[in-house]
């Protein structure tokens, strides 16, 4: 999959030990709206998706994560977009850093959302699926990055991806 962007967190340990985390992200649009997750704790918007379990195929993980987080139905993968790679500090003592590979896919889904199956920490953080105007989500995340001290580490990645989408960069290669 094409590398879209690579970032290095300023607190990452140069040449340190690494834990690799593979994740998937879904881009689901209908007209000017995009299906995102709003997280109250961080006051930000992010793409639905999450970690890939050991041995799990990317497409299976993507559909599972989108169903769990959004309650979306009739999810179809339209094409692969690319990978966003991050190196950030790891919070446990077993590794210095986490290398996160977020594989992004364009998908379709029904607009009507069903019940979610959020994990406990996602519920505690006030995460909920919303259809929002793409440019409104980008502007909102920029305001949060400029003014909030409670922003999560992922908001820069998510905002970069939303801007990439808004710039019309999506291609439709086969997943």
């Amino acid at each position: 999959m094409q590398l879209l962007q690579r970032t290095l967190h300023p607190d990452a340990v140069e040449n340190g030990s690494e834990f690799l985390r593979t994740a998937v992200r879904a881009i689901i649009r209908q007209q000017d709206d995009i299906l995102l997750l709003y997280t109250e704790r961080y006051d930000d918007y992010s793409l639905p998706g999450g970690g890939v379990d050991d041995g799990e195929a990317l497409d299976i993980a993507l559909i599972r994560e989108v169903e769990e987080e959004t309650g979306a139905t009739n999810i179809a993968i339209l094409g692969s977009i690319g990978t966003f790679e991050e190196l950030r500090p790891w919070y446990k003592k077993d590794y210095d850093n986490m290398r996160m590979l977020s594989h992004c896919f364009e998908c379709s889904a029904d607009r009507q959302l069903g019940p979610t199956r959020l994990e406990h920490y996602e519920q505690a953080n006030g995460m909920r699926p919303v259809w929002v105007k793409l440019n409104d989500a980008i502007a909102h995340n920029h305001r949060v990055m400029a003014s909030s001290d409670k922003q999560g580490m992922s908001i820069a990645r998510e905002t970069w991806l939303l801007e990439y989408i808004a710039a019309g960069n999506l291609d439709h290669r086969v997943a």
Side-chain angles (χ1 to χ4, degrees):
M1 196 177 286
Q2 170 190 350
L3 180 64
L4 300 174
Q5 177 74 320
R6 180 177 285 136
T7 63
L8 175 64
H9 190 279
D11 295 332
V13 177
E14 290 284 337
N15 301 312
S17 60
E18 294 182 12
F19 167 73
L20 177 64
R21 181 167 189 251
T22 302
V24 288
R25 312 262 175 243
I27 299 160
I28 304 171
R29 298 180 301 163
Q30 291 188 4
Q31 291 80 38
D32 293 337
D33 292 341
I34 186 166
L35 180 57
L36 297 175
L37 298 168
Y38 175 77
T39 304
E40 187 175 330
R41 177 179 181 189
Y42 302 115
D43 189 25
D44 67 0
Y45 290 103
S46 60
L47 294 167
V52 178
D53 294 336
D54 286 339
E56 188 176 31
L58 295 179
D59 59 340
I60 301 299
L62 181 68
I63 291 171
R64 173 184 55 76
E65 285 286 344
V66 173
E67 287 176 343
E68 289 173 359
E69 292 181 343
T70 70
T73 56
N74 294 318
I75 302 160
I77 299 172
L78 304 176
S80 62
I81 304 305
T83 302
F84 191 106
E85 180 180 343
E86 304 165 77
L87 186 65
R88 52 167 87 163
W90 185 236
Y91 64 95
K92 294 183 181 177
K93 293 181 181 183
D94 49 351
Y95 294 96
D96 298 317
N97 302 313
M98 176 183 61
R99 184 171 302 274
M100 167 88 84
L101 301 177
S102 293
H103 302 291
C104 302
F105 296 87
E106 186 172 17
C107 300
S108 63
D110 290 347
R111 187 169 185 92
Q112 183 67 36
L113 302 176
T116 62
R117 296 186 313 277
L118 296 172
E119 295 192 38
H120 175 71
Y121 75 92
E122 292 168 331
Q123 291 175 13
N125 288 340
M127 182 182 282
R128 67 180 185 274
V130 293
W131 287 98
V132 63
K133 301 287 183 213
L134 178 57
N135 288 327
D136 291 349
I138 293 168
H140 179 90
N141 278 3
H142 274 291
R143 283 191 301 275
V144 170
M145 287 189 293
S147 65
S148 176
D149 60 353
K150 66 178 183 175
Q151 60 186 277
M153 290 175 53
S154 63
I155 192 170
R157 175 194 64 230
E158 298 296 321
T159 305
W160 189 94
L161 288 167
L162 293 173
E163 289 173 334
Y164 184 84
I165 297 162
N169 290 310
L170 300 187
D171 62 21
H172 296 282
R173 290 176 280 139
V174 176

